[in-house]
Amino acid sequence: MAAAQLHHLRWRTPRLGVTGGIGSGKSSFAAMLAARGAVHVDADQIARSVTTAGGLAMAPIAAAFGPELIDERGGLHRERMRALAFADASARARLEAIVHPLVGQATAERIALAEQSGAALVVLDIPLLVESGRWTSQLDQVLVVDCREATQIQRVMQRNQLAPEAIERILAAQASRQARRAAADMIIYNDTQDLEHLRAHAVRIAALFGL
């Protein structure tokens, strides 16, 4: 994105959507932009917060799926729900119908606070930005952090101790690299373990927004 393109941003506070597949490094990149002064809104963190014990999604989840999908602390039993969602697309759709509106509401509230504070940039860290199809109208630019699927599998195995087959199922449920790249205004290729390489890109992107 050239600096001249910033004149065409629709919102008073620019909104940059950051996305990428599991293990791509998108959350690390978003956090690096936050370190430069951007306001970081993490949709995944919001989704986790509404599905923990006492979270706003828990009563409707219990009603829709029953007690077997609730863990001993009263939050979402994530392993069972993950298995159910991969096996049953309708279950995944029911869960998303409960969680996504709550995430959208909390995200809007955090954006409003950022705008009121005079933030120079809001970074929306959205794992399923491309898959949902509902975020792009609320963003000025979409940045995709991209890497090879083999790199994603290696990183997630190291980070989450998941089996390769489980990671491949997650990848299959996400948008393809091609679909994400096609939706991007900017693409950061992050196929190394060098965080300084990623940080250099973050510094460059932040500078486009005056950070």
Side-chain angles (χ1 to χ4, degrees):
M1 181 180 67
Q5 289 180 273
L6 295 177
H7 295 300
H8 302 293
L9 298 180
R10 290 171 287 175
W11 315 103
R12 184 180 68 183
T13 299
R15 303 175 184 181
L16 176 65
V18 174
T19 194
I22 186 171
S24 64
K26 65 167 185 54
S27 293
S28 295
F29 187 79
M32 290 172 183
L33 291 176
R36 303 292 299 180
V39 173
H40 180 192
V41 180
D42 185 342
D44 213 20
Q45 184 276 325
I46 295 172
R48 288 192 297 270
S49 73
V50 301
T51 54
T52 56
L56 294 176
M58 289 316 303
I61 286 174
F65 295 99
E68 63 273 14
L69 270 298
I70 310 302
D71 67 19
E72 64 278 5
R73 295 178 297 277
L76 178 66
H77 197 301
R78 300 184 190 282
E79 290 183 6
R80 290 179 185 171
M81 180 56 78
R82 186 182 299 114
L84 177 61
F86 283 133
D88 184 352
S90 67
R92 181 167 65 248
R94 281 184 288 145
L95 178 66
E96 291 173 350
I98 294 168
V99 173
H100 285 185
L102 295 172
V103 173
Q105 179 182 350
T107 298
E109 291 170 355
R110 296 186 188 191
I111 291 172
L113 288 173
E115 291 179 338
Q116 291 168 15
S117 71
L121 174 65
V122 176
V123 173
L124 289 98
D125 180 353
I126 306 171
L128 300 180
L129 187 155
V130 174
E131 291 86 338
S132 71
R134 65 190 181 91
W135 287 105
T136 52
S137 64
Q138 303 176 51
L139 302 168
D140 293 301
Q141 300 283 335
V142 172
L143 184 149
V144 168
V145 181
D146 181 50
C147 66
R148 295 176 301 125
E149 287 191 359
T151 302
Q152 292 177 263
I153 292 171
Q154 180 185 27
R155 288 173 179 166
V156 178
M157 285 176 62
Q158 293 173 349
R159 183 184 71 194
N160 299 74
Q161 288 76 53
L162 290 177
E165 297 79 11
I167 302 168
E168 288 169 357
R169 287 196 296 270
I170 294 172
L171 291 173
Q174 294 184 336
S176 67
R177 286 183 68 192
Q178 292 78 10
R180 278 193 297 270
R181 291 173 68 92
D185 298 294
M186 295 173 277
I187 299 172
I188 301 298
Y189 190 60
N190 180 40
D191 207 59
T192 74
Q193 299 295 333
D194 183 5
L195 286 179
E196 290 307 312
H197 170 79
L198 193 61
R199 188 170 288 107
H201 283 297
V203 170
R204 177 176 61 83
I205 296 300
L208 294 176
F209 296 92
L211 295 173

